[in-house]
Amino acid sequence: MASTLYAHLATPTLPSRKLSSLSCPTMFHSALSFSIGTTKVNLAPGTPVRPTSILVVGATGTLGRQVVRRALDEGYDVRCLVRPRPAPADFLRDWGATVVNADLSKPETIPATLVGVHTIIDCATGRPEEPIKTVDWEGKVALIQCAKAMGIQKFIFFSIHNCDKHPEVPLMEIKHCTEKFLRDSGLNHVVIRLCGFMQGLIGQYAVPILEEKSVWGTDAPTRIAYMDTQDIARLTFIALRNENINGKLLTFAGPRAWTTQEVITLCERLAGQDANVTTVPVSVLRFTRQLTRLFEWTNDVADRLAFSEVLTSDTVFSVPMAETYNLLGVDAKDVSSLEKYLQDYFTNILKKLKDLKAQSKQTDIFF
């Protein structure tokens, strides 16, 4: 069945084109039979799909795992699409989710994962070592087409703020084209553009400062309104349940936009020590991008440098959130600030380091 369905799906070339006419039910799945994990699933014609049944794509990622946890906490039946991997995603099973193996770069593996699913939440993006187009365009097109063909009721897609303004950056162009492709598919959907994750700052700044290693920054005044992925997940499910938001484009941003230097200064203050900052001029990034274009095998590196160049330009990745909060019925005070997020992190990690140091001294005395 999966191969038969996939035979009718073709990946368009960039820029996006409208979906071909696909016959699909709107309220019920057709008669299908698949194996999901070790379970044989049979759906007779007209089998209803529970609104609480969701599939999270990219469930092991920084955002995806928070979406899974939030969904489980709110009582959803959560299925996680995960690539086959040497180290299985056991933590997702431990939380109570069902894990199914599939790979967006192998579209024929997708249809079986959608049986019995009401809503898809797409948090996935390609790995750094693979071409951006493979997962973020071809894989997403196949996922949307399969969702349309199998009668998925709602599709949540996470995109990048201002992706429509930077067609020179492949990842941002692909995100924008995927937004349009999803809109043209006719699926009930919500597109959520994001500015930046607070969690990403831990490995980039907080840990290197604590370990007295180099912190890399730029001399550009770019400002980014980082947001806690737990808040993103919470707001996502509020949007999912609000039928008035179907078909809308939302942008989620944190309470304040920060420059790189401001983030480093904040981390220094909370850590109680100075950072060893290595500043990379934007001109170097631009030169590196042009240089890598000379070699075919570095095209993907150049694509990612292009994205880095946008992030290091004189740009503000933020939007006023008052209207969005009003639409979702959310109090702005309930959204974490970067100061609070990093303060909690440093308080916890410094306490653990202090406890470890105390334990080490006790061991020395004992022996």
Side-chain angles (χ1 to χ4, degrees), residues 33 52 69 103 107 126 138 146 158 188 228 261 268 277 289 323 328 366:
S33 176
T52 56
R69 293 202 67 164
D103 190 337
E138 295 170 352
C146 287
F158 289 107
N188 286 332
D228 188 341
Q261 187 54 55
E268 287 177 320
V277 182
R289 180 189 173 194
E323 185 177 343
L328 299 177
F366 179 79

Side-chain angles (χ1 to χ4, degrees), residues 124-295:
T125 192
R127 295 168 177 164
E129 68 272 13
E130 62 190 357
I132 292 174
K133 186 179 176 183
T134 302
V135 169
D136 287 288
W137 175 245
E138 295 170 352
K140 298 304 179 77
V141 165
L143 179 63
I144 292 169
Q145 289 180 316
C146 287
K148 178 67 175 178
M150 296 183 67
I152 298 299
Q153 297 299 295
K154 188 169 288 187
F155 197 112
I156 308 295
F157 175 65
F158 289 107
S159 187
I160 301 174
H161 178 50
N162 279 342
C163 62
D164 54 323
K165 297 180 181 178
H166 296 282
E168 76 281 5
V169 181
L171 179 59
M172 299 183 82
E173 180 194 25
I174 285 173
K175 288 290 187 182
H176 185 221
C177 287
T178 306
E179 290 179 3
K180 293 189 292 183
F181 191 82
L182 179 59
R183 183 183 65 237
D184 292 344
S185 74
L187 285 165
N188 286 332
H189 68 279
V190 179
V191 172
I192 301 174
R193 292 182 178 178
L194 305 174
C195 297
F197 301 158
M198 291 182 184
Q199 280 74 5
L201 300 176
I202 300 301
Q204 191 170 2
Y205 301 115
V207 172
I209 289 174
L210 288 172
E211 295 182 348
E212 299 182 356
K213 295 181 179 178
S214 292
V215 173
W216 296 85
T218 72
D219 56 357
T222 306
R223 309 182 75 86
I224 301 175
Y226 300 99
M227 196 170 191
D228 188 341
T229 53
Q230 293 187 31
D231 285 329
I232 295 172
R234 180 170 62 88
L235 268 57
T236 295
F237 281 97
I238 294 173
L240 173 62
R241 292 187 292 269
N242 189 333
E243 293 301 321
N244 294 325
I245 297 179
N246 280 341
K248 289 189 178 295
L249 169 64
L250 304 177
T251 300
F252 291 171
R256 174 190 162 185
W258 297 74
T259 65
T260 296
Q261 187 54 55
E262 287 172 340
V263 173
I264 292 173
T265 300
L266 176 61
C267 288
E268 287 177 320
R269 176 169 62 81
L270 294 173
Q273 60 192 70
D274 293 336
N276 179 19
V277 182
T278 301
T279 302
V280 181
V282 176
S283 58
V284 172
L285 280 179
R286 292 195 181 105
F287 172 75
T288 305
R289 180 189 173 194
Q290 291 169 358
L291 182 64
T292 56
R293 281 293 184 194
L294 299 176
F295 305 96

Side-chain angles (χ1 to χ4, degrees), residues 99-117:
V99 175
V100 293
N101 286 331
D103 190 337
L104 294 186
S105 66
K106 299 176 181 177
E108 67 276 5
T109 66
I110 297 172
T113 69
L114 305 186
V115 178
V117 169

Side-chain angles (χ1 to χ4, degrees), residues 292-308:
T292 56
R293 281 293 184 194
L294 299 176
F295 305 96
E296 183 179 356
W297 54 269
T298 57
N299 277 348
D300 293 317
V301 175
D303 290 345
R304 296 180 193 282
L305 283 171
F307 183 60
S308 299

